[in-house]
Amino acid sequence: MHPVSFCARRSRNCSNFPSTLSAAVWPQGALLSFLVLFASVETASLQAQSPDAFEDLDALRDRYDGERSIALSREERMVIERGPEGLTGRVESTERILHLRGPLGGMPTEEVPYSGLIALEEIEAWTEVPKGKGKYRRENVRKFSHYDVLDEEIFHNDSRAVSFSYPEQVPGSITHLHTVHRYADARLMTRYLFSSYMPVLHTRLTVEYPEDVRVRLVPYGIDEADWQPVAGTGKKNTQTWTVEFHDLDALDFVEQAPGLLYHAPHVQLLVEDPSNPNDRGGDLDRMYRWYHGHIEAAKMAEVPALTALADSLCQGLEQPAQKAAALLQWVQQNIRYVAIEDGWNGLVPIQPDITYQVRYGDCKGMSAILQTMMRSQGLDARLAWVGTRRLPYRYDELANCSVDNHMIVAWKAEGPVPAAALPSDNGWLLIDPTHDQLAFGLPSPFIQGKQVLVSGPDAEDYDLALAPVVPADHNSISDSLEVELDGSALLGRGRMVFSGIPRNHLASILLHVPEKDWADMLTERHPKGNNRMRYSSVAVQGLEDPNQPLVLDYEMRIPEFIREIDGEAFVPAELAFPFAEYRYKEDRTLPVVFEYAREYRHVVAWTLPEELRVKHVPEASAFTGEGFSYRFEPRLGDAAKDESGLVTETVYRLETIELEPELVPSWNAMNAQRKRELNRSLVLQRP
């Protein structure tokens, strides 16, 4: 949605993770996913020991076994200055990296990003190459290549970068980087991360600011005993804060865990300018006035073309929720989502009439056009800001622009709403037009449980809401299957019904996969039995309306599924295990994060040949943990009622979106029990 803080440099040969993590800011789409997508970190150790940076190379290799490099020092100086249009910022960054071993795959290319809002004023880089006997020679980087950064998810931005390679990165060499970035607004200069993907021997942050400006540092991922910022006095009527740490462990990445910023030791800045009338009061009051100015810049009293369109879409609809749903669906189907990150357009929505003309927009533009259409129908829709689940912050705890990265529409419904709609804790329906298959009234999965800042009619009026967590009952996959034996193969005809978030996800996939490939896609995503199983046909209903369940009728075949020994046929009694891939190390210290709560219900009706009778049916089983469970129930036909065949029902439930580390052993125990039970067979016998 708008710029967020991130690393000042990244290396293409370092697992795509920054070797320098600073308070520079960068567009959300290009950067936030780079930092935190599918990765997280264990909390780094913050020790107050002074490192010995002059140990011999072999000793350092032993001490940092497995590491290719260590950061001898990382320092950043954030300078807040008063300019003619308010407070601006300057960030001076330096780092020294000792290379314990040579680079992998040739000389890595480094990148330093910048943009219109964050200009790169200085860059200098060089290598100290060891000559022996503790002496070095300096080899400067002589070629810096500037280029536009193109991101396939971003339609237009002003992001640029400079790339370079350090010369002679031999074992024992020390690379140096010095950069200076200029910030158009000091409020964009928000955070500094003390740790890195490599061990850090020493890191220091200094914040310098005019004495009539207030600056507070808010620590995250740092023990209270280790947090000891030092206040000081700078030059020319300035004050300073200084924070430093020694011997920080490398960030240890853990899959399917909360985002990097939940656990990486870092600090956030809160900057207040008492001389600015709009920058007085509580932190959130001041922040909201700034944000309100952004949306006021895009506000239009009326857009006749949009009003006429909304009138036609709502014709004959009586209930307000029906009108809101119809308008949302039009935006979902007719305005293409593309991120637009061009200077202040990363913060200010494009005006709705422009979005209507070009038929594309980012989250701000799509929300603004939906708000305008809803208001034309008398619906009091509000623009709202929210941070995705990868960000650990709340508005009532940290009021700066690091707290959010997304915009949606909030509306307090009047009259009845669909049963699937889930309002916030204080009655707001949170409507996200950027997801073309999201049902009306459901929050996006990536904002569940997050605090939302809802705009009001003026710069002093706002509200806070809590996005609901969609319960498992809303996110269901119900699979009913009739099977029969065909020699050693199993043939089946079934129906899967998807509701809630699973419905939205699968619908998006179906819309982007050719129909001829649906069967292969479904085989990959919803396998049954074993890896020889294939869907032979798939027919879909409900794809056109995001507010209706998605129904898939299918046929399937599993060859060589039945084993026959001495007149007895052995058939696996269960065909699906949706939790099979979810196994975790029991010593992990971070929670397990799931995209959404869910329920899987699998019902299999077995039609058995007349020449076979059931000799053995596996017993019913179940497991109930804290927030997760399964149960398996077989039901054999009653011979007295002339019933034949067998019906098995298996229900898996995940009722949470975050599994605490202490529950991982119980989760693994459930999966282990399930895995053992899946080896059980239905035994059929010839009379």
Side-chain angles (χ1 to χ4, degrees):
M1 177 192 130
H2 57 59
V4 296
S5 304
F6 86 124
C7 59
R9 179 177 68 84
R10 63 179 181 266
S11 170
R12 292 177 181 170
N13 283 19
C14 294
S15 302
N16 293 327
F17 191 79
S19 57
T20 296
L21 297 170
S22 82
V25 297
W26 200 247
Q28 167 255 341
L31 161 75
L32 188 60
S33 58
F34 169 77
L35 265 183
V36 298
L37 186 62
F38 304 123
S40 185
V41 297
E42 302 280 4
T43 303
S45 170
L46 299 179
Q47 303 175 15
Q49 301 175 8
S50 296
D52 180 5
F54 302 98
E55 298 178 60
D56 64 68
L57 195 60
D58 289 335
L60 285 171
R61 285 176 179 147
D62 291 340
R63 179 180 174 187
Y64 298 102
D65 185 37
E67 300 288 349
R68 306 201 69 80
S69 306
I70 57 174
L72 297 177
S73 64
R74 297 179 55 248
E75 298 188 17
E76 187 153 293
R77 187 174 188 86
M78 297 182 179
V79 181
I80 298 172
E81 300 172 326
R82 189 175 296 284
E85 297 184 2
L87 298 178
T88 63
R90 188 176 79 252
V91 173
E92 304 169 3
S93 301
T94 61
E95 71 174 9
R96 297 167 58 237
I97 295 178
L98 172 63
H99 299 272
L100 304 176
R101 298 166 178 82
L104 291 172
M107 303 304 286
T109 300
E110 315 293 340
E111 296 177 343
V112 176
Y114 60 96
S115 71
L117 288 179
I118 310 101
L120 178 63
E121 292 189 337
E122 298 178 24
I123 182 169
E124 185 180 15
W126 67 95
T127 304
E128 286 185 324
V129 184
K131 296 170 57 178
K133 298 183 179 180
K135 296 183 178 181
Y136 295 82
R137 59 182 169 84
R138 173 167 169 159
E139 293 292 335
N140 291 327
V141 173
R142 292 181 170 81
K143 182 179 180 182
F144 294 94
S145 301
H146 295 257
Y147 61 95
D148 292 328
V149 176
L150 302 177
D151 191 302
E152 62 183 11
E153 297 180 355
I154 299 175
F155 183 82
H156 179 68
N157 63 37
D158 65 348
S159 303
R160 303 207 76 208
V162 55
S163 66
F164 62 94
S165 294
Y166 289 107
E168 300 190 50
Q169 289 188 50
V170 298
S173 63
I174 302 173
T175 53
H176 296 248
L177 175 65
H178 170 76
T179 61
V180 177
H181 285 81
R182 170 69 64 176
Y183 288 70
D185 192 312
R187 287 171 291 191
L188 300 176
M189 192 169 59
T190 58
R191 71 173 171 245
Y192 177 71
L193 282 84
F194 294 101
S195 294
S196 178
Y197 77 94
M198 66 179 72
V200 178
L201 274 63
H202 175 246
T203 179
R204 177 167 58 203
L205 168 68
T206 302
V207 182
E208 180 179 329
Y209 55 96
E211 60 183 7
D212 61 342
V213 172
R214 298 170 186 165
V215 173
R216 285 185 291 120
L217 307 183
V218 183
Y220 285 85
I222 301 172
D223 290 340
E224 185 176 351
D226 292 320
W227 178 243
Q228 299 176 8
V230 177
T233 302
K235 300 177 181 179
K236 297 181 180 179
N237 301 319
T238 62
Q239 295 180 324
T240 62
W241 283 111
T242 301
V243 185
E244 57 185 321
F245 291 106
H246 298 284
D247 288 343
L248 301 187
D249 296 335
L251 300 176
D252 186 13
F253 287 85
V254 180
E255 293 187 3
Q256 207 176 329
L260 171 79
L261 296 172
Y262 280 85
H263 308 285
H266 67 287
V267 64
Q268 287 281 354
L269 271 66
L270 290 173
V271 180
E272 180 180 357
D273 182 7
S275 67
N276 182 350
N278 290 323
D279 203 21
R280 297 174 183 167
D283 293 334
L284 186 52
D285 295 336
R286 295 185 294 105
M287 176 182 170
Y288 175 69
R289 290 190 202 105
W290 186 38
Y291 274 22
H292 188 265
H294 299 155
I295 62 175
E296 280 295 300
K299 188 175 181 180
M300 304 184 71
E302 184 179 359
V303 182
L306 285 177
T307 300
L309 173 62
D311 288 343
S312 65
L313 293 171
C314 295
Q315 186 175 3
L317 302 179
E318 297 181 359
Q319 297 297 334
Q322 293 176 317
K323 297 178 182 180
L327 298 174
L328 170 64
Q329 191 166 352
W330 185 89
V331 174
Q332 289 173 318
Q333 295 178 353
N334 292 276
I335 306 296
R336 181 188 172 199
Y337 173 76
V338 291
I340 301 173
E341 296 168 355
D342 182 9
W344 286 106
N345 286 332
L347 295 129
V348 179
I350 299 295
Q351 291 189 326
D353 61 333
I354 297 176
T355 301
Y356 178 64
Q357 292 171 19
V358 299
R359 300 298 173 99
Y360 64 80
D362 63 2
C363 62
K364 302 178 303 299
M366 296 182 74
S367 294
I369 192 174
L370 176 59
Q371 180 203 33
T372 299
M373 295 174 73
M374 290 179 66
R375 289 193 166 188
S376 75
Q377 302 303 301
L379 308 178
D380 185 18
R382 312 281 187 90
L383 295 180
W385 298 265
V386 62
T388 61
R389 292 170 59 197
R390 292 178 294 181
L391 299 177
Y393 316 114
R394 292 171 54 99
Y395 289 98
D396 54 9
E397 296 175 350
L398 178 74
N400 71 18
C401 63
S402 284
V403 72
D404 52 46
N405 57 357
H406 193 46
M407 179 172 278
I408 58 176
V409 172
W411 175 58
K412 283 196 173 179
E414 308 151 18
V417 297
L422 293 174
S424 71
D425 57 329
N426 52 353
W428 292 102
L429 283 181
L430 305 175
I431 306 170
D432 188 349
T434 64
H435 193 315
D436 61 356
Q437 289 296 313
L438 189 64
F440 173 75
L442 279 187
S444 303
F446 51 78
I447 70 166
Q448 295 177 97
K450 292 305 301 289
Q451 201 174 52
V452 181
L453 176 61
V454 181
S455 64
D458 56 48
E460 305 299 326
D461 187 4
Y462 59 85
D463 197 8
L464 291 176
L466 193 65
V469 175
V470 183
D473 293 338
H474 281 59
N475 299 325
S476 66
I477 301 175
S478 178
D479 190 355
S480 300
L481 175 63
E482 296 180 356
V483 298
E484 61 183 32
L485 279 57
D486 181 23
S488 64
L490 189 72
L491 305 182
R493 184 189 303 267
R495 165 171 287 191
M496 284 189 277
V497 180
F498 295 78
S499 300
I501 297 172
R503 182 254 177 242
N504 304 334
H505 282 355
L506 184 59
S508 294
I509 293 171
L510 290 170
L511 289 170
H512 292 89
V513 172
E515 186 172 346
K516 65 180 180 61
D517 296 330
W518 283 358
D520 290 340
M521 179 275 297
L522 203 62
T523 298
E524 180 179 349
R525 294 183 65 87
H526 294 277
K528 292 179 171 63
N530 59 40
N531 57 12
R532 292 188 293 271
M533 174 267 178
R534 294 291 183 272
Y535 292 94
S536 56
S537 68
V538 178
V540 178
Q541 303 173 47
L543 188 57
E544 303 79 12
D545 187 353
N547 301 298
Q548 296 298 321
L550 188 67
V551 179
L552 276 68
D553 292 307
Y554 64 87
E555 294 180 356
M556 53 146 281
R557 183 174 187 271
I558 310 177
E560 301 177 24
F561 192 65
I562 302 162
R563 293 178 298 131
E564 188 164 347
I565 303 174
D566 297 333
E568 293 184 338
F570 296 83
V571 185
E574 297 182 68
L575 302 181
F577 183 21
F579 291 164
E581 62 186 271
Y582 300 140
R583 291 191 60 82
Y584 310 104
K585 293 182 178 179
E586 298 193 357
D587 61 351
R588 68 182 286 153
T589 60
L590 296 178
V592 178
V593 171
F594 298 97
E595 188 176 6
Y596 52 87
R598 65 203 74 175
E599 178 183 275
Y600 299 91
R601 183 179 299 271
H602 298 270
V603 179
V604 182
W606 300 77
T607 300
L608 303 176
E610 293 182 358
E611 66 272 17
L612 295 176
R613 64 177 180 83
V614 177
K615 179 181 179 181
H616 172 74
V617 176
E619 295 180 354
S621 62
F623 189 105
T624 300
E626 189 174 332
F628 51 90
S629 64
Y630 83 86
R631 61 178 175 83
F632 167 72
E633 295 181 1
R635 299 190 296 273
L636 192 60
D638 189 342
K641 297 180 180 179
D642 198 24
E643 294 176 349
S644 61
L646 172 71
V647 175
T648 59
E649 180 180 40
T650 311
V651 179
Y652 298 88
R653 285 181 64 86
L654 173 63
E655 299 174 359
T656 181
I657 59 173
E658 191 165 298
L659 187 69
E660 294 300 326
E662 59 268 21
L663 297 178
V664 167
S666 178
W667 173 276
N668 286 344
M670 177 187 73
N671 268 13
Q673 178 175 313
R674 266 280 74 192
K675 187 175 181 180
R676 291 192 301 269
E677 293 175 353
L678 291 177
N679 293 322
R680 301 183 302 177
S681 294
L682 170 69
V683 182
L684 308 177
Q685 188 177 50
R686 299 184 185 279

